[in-house]
């Protein structure tokens, strides 16, 4: 159901492949958590998350919810489901989600946990839990609000409508909308570019922005100088400075160390 592949470029590619609809199941959940554990223990320089098939996902297999006997049991399930995007969000390297088609519920919530969300012009998105009387449980509501505002998050979840990629780009949710033709390769090229960059600096940027999310500009300002100073212990910064001084800007190569 999942494939985790590593490339010589330093890029890891996590492919969701559970045909025909890539539905979220208990088995897929355990595979996801295992794959994230591999990424945490043997870190790539960047991660691309993608899906095989005609759609990114049709959502969650509703039988997962039917198996919950009461609120206490459901809380245990939801806590474990929430681990997936939460652990992806704090991975110390750039993460890119590529949405080529219909992207409902859990995959959209995972996409919102990634650093960059790129979409095909044919992609559409929805949080449709309202059809069974549920609210999203994997952080999608609040992550959508962080990108697009509370009012738009309410509209999105209340209506359960599907929104095209271009609308979400206008809202600041999708980073880039790319042509359908050649989409997979274009998304991969972006991820490879990030993998080849100063990934220790990218991880530092993620730490600074995490402080901003928790405490605004004031908290980020308290932390940024220490985080940036730590980069002077990396080969990438030392080599980047030498390259700039001897060869000029844009000539440095980075190894993620």
């Amino acid at each position: 159901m999942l494939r985790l592949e590593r490339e010589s470029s330093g890029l890891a590619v996590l492919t969701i492949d559970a045909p025909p609809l890539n539905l979220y199941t208990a088995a897929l959940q355990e595979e996801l958590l295992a794959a994230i554990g591999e990424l945490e223990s043997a870190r790539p320089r960047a991660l691309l998350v993608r899906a095989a098939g005609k759609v990114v996902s049709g959502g969650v297999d509703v039988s997962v919810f039917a198996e919950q006997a009461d609120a206490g049991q459901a809380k245990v399930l939801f806590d474990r489901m929430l681990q997936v995007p939460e652990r992806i969000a704090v991975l110390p390297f750039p993460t890119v989600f590529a949405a080529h088609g219909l992207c409902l519920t859990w995959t959209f919530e995972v996409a919102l946990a990634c650093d960059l969300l790129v979409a095909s012009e044919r992609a559409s998105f929805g949080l449709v839990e309202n059809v069974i009387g549920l609210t999203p449980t994997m952080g999608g509501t609040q992550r959508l609000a962080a990108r697009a505002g509370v009012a738009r998050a309410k509209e999105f979840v209340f209506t359960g409508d599907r929104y095209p990629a271009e609308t979400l780009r206008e809202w600041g949710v999708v980073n880039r909308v790319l042509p359908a033709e050649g989409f997979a390769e274009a998304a991969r090229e972006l991820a490879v570019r990030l993998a080849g960059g100063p990934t220790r600096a990218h991880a530092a940027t993620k730490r600074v922005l995490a402080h901003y999310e928790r405490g605004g500009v004031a908290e980020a300002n308290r932390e940024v100088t220490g985080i940036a100073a730590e980069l002077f212990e990396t080969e990438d910064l030392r080599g980047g400075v030498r390259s700039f001084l001897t060869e000029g800007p844009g000539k440095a190569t980075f190894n993620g160390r």
Side-chain angles (χ1 to χ4, degrees):
M1 287 186 288
L2 284 185
R3 296 194 305 274
L4 180 59
E5 301 163 299
R6 295 175 185 264
E7 301 183 359
S8 59
S9 64
L11 178 68
V13 181
L14 181 62
T15 303
I16 305 156
D17 190 5
L21 295 175
N22 294 327
L23 296 181
Y24 193 94
T25 63
L28 180 61
Q29 174 177 273
E30 296 313 307
E31 287 194 28
L32 280 165
L33 291 169
I36 294 167
E38 288 185 40
L39 293 165
E40 290 167 338
S41 60
R43 298 174 182 175
R45 296 188 63 196
L47 172 67
L48 174 65
V49 184
R50 59 178 298 274
K54 293 184 178 180
V55 303
V56 180
S57 177
V60 176
D61 184 340
V62 177
S63 64
V64 171
F65 301 136
E67 293 167 357
Q68 308 310 306
D70 52 37
Q73 191 174 346
K75 176 71 161 53
V76 172
L77 169 68
F78 295 152
D79 284 344
R80 192 147 179 82
M81 292 174 71
L82 186 58
Q83 286 184 32
V84 173
E86 286 290 277
R87 288 168 65 182
I88 288 173
V90 297
L91 289 171
F93 43 80
T95 57
V96 179
F97 193 99
H100 67 279
L102 179 65
C103 184
L104 296 182
T105 68
W106 77 274
T107 45
F108 185 41
E109 295 183 276
V110 168
L112 291 169
C114 291
D115 300 318
L116 300 182
L117 169 51
V118 297
S120 160
E121 60 192 350
R122 296 177 183 169
S124 61
F125 302 84
L127 294 173
V128 297
E129 286 83 353
N130 66 337
V131 300
I132 62 166
L134 186 64
T135 192
T137 62
M138 294 176 71
T141 304
Q142 49 270 41
R143 291 187 187 278
L144 181 60
R147 296 193 185 204
V150 170
R152 281 175 169 158
K154 287 179 179 178
E155 174 195 338
F156 200 95
V157 176
F158 288 173
T159 64
D161 289 343
R162 299 177 187 178
Y163 289 76
E166 183 57 31
T167 296
L168 293 195
R169 188 197 63 78
E170 293 171 359
W171 287 9
V173 176
V174 168
N175 292 89
R176 299 183 185 182
V177 177
L178 304 174
E181 185 70 29
F183 171 74
E185 185 55 33
R188 181 186 168 279
E189 286 176 0
L190 172 60
V192 168
R193 175 185 173 188
L194 297 180
T199 46
R200 294 286 295 275
H202 295 336
T205 299
K206 292 180 68 165
R207 289 173 60 195
V208 172
L209 290 173
H211 283 294
Y212 169 77
E213 289 176 328
R214 286 193 293 268
V217 172
E219 179 174 327
N221 280 349
R222 286 194 296 271
E223 303 295 335
V224 65
T225 55
I227 292 171
E230 291 173 7
L231 294 174
F232 279 82
E233 303 299 324
T234 68
E235 292 179 18
D236 278 353
L237 187 144
R238 294 293 187 183
V241 170
R242 284 196 302 271
S243 175
F244 188 98
L245 293 175
T246 59
E247 302 172 278
K251 303 293 179 59
T253 58
F254 303 101
N255 60 25
R257 294 192 293 271

